[in-house]
Amino acid sequence: MAIPTINKLNVTDEDISNPVICPSCGKTVGMRLFGAEDKSTVGKLFPEKQKMAVAVCPMCAAVYKVADNYYKERKNGTLVYMTEKDLESLERK
């Protein structure tokens, strides 16, 4: 029996970033980028939180939320370079 869920999240692979120093392990790596779009009712009620991007370090597997400005400019085709300031840790506390 299938159980319907209210979570309708579309995740897309957005390629690799420019070399950046991982805040967690301190190594210079190309972060793997993923775009996430919430298509549920909750996402429609809060459109400012509907789209986000995450970056994953290939060395230590740390996961970061990417700054909205960086992701928006990258999606528009602007040449942008990721820095450590564009990464916010998504760690449970």
Side-chain angles (χ1 to χ4, degrees):
M1 179 172 127
I3 300 172
T5 63
I6 60 170
N7 186 8
K8 295 178 180 159
L9 188 66
N10 290 347
V11 179
T12 56
D13 187 356
E14 300 286 341
D15 206 14
I16 298 174
S17 74
N18 58 286
V20 63
I21 298 173
C22 175
S24 182
C25 66
K27 296 183 180 176
T28 302
V29 295
M31 297 275 185
R32 192 69 181 181
L33 301 174
F34 297 95
E37 183 177 1
D38 187 2
K39 294 195 177 210
S40 68
T41 305
V42 175
K44 292 175 185 169
L45 293 174
F46 301 100
E48 68 278 358
K49 296 183 179 181
Q50 190 173 15
K51 294 181 183 179
M52 73 177 272
V54 293
V56 180
C57 175
M59 299 303 282
C60 66
V63 181
Y64 302 97
K65 180 185 181 301
V66 178
D68 293 333
N69 290 340
Y70 172 85
Y71 185 60
K72 179 181 166 187
E73 293 297 325
R74 182 178 169 103
K75 290 296 279 183
N76 287 337
T78 305
L79 180 63
V80 290
Y81 292 98
M82 181 183 286
T83 64
E84 295 82 26
K85 293 180 182 179
D86 293 323
L87 302 172
E88 177 185 335
S89 181
L90 288 179
E91 179 178 317
R92 283 191 186 192
K93 297 179 181 179

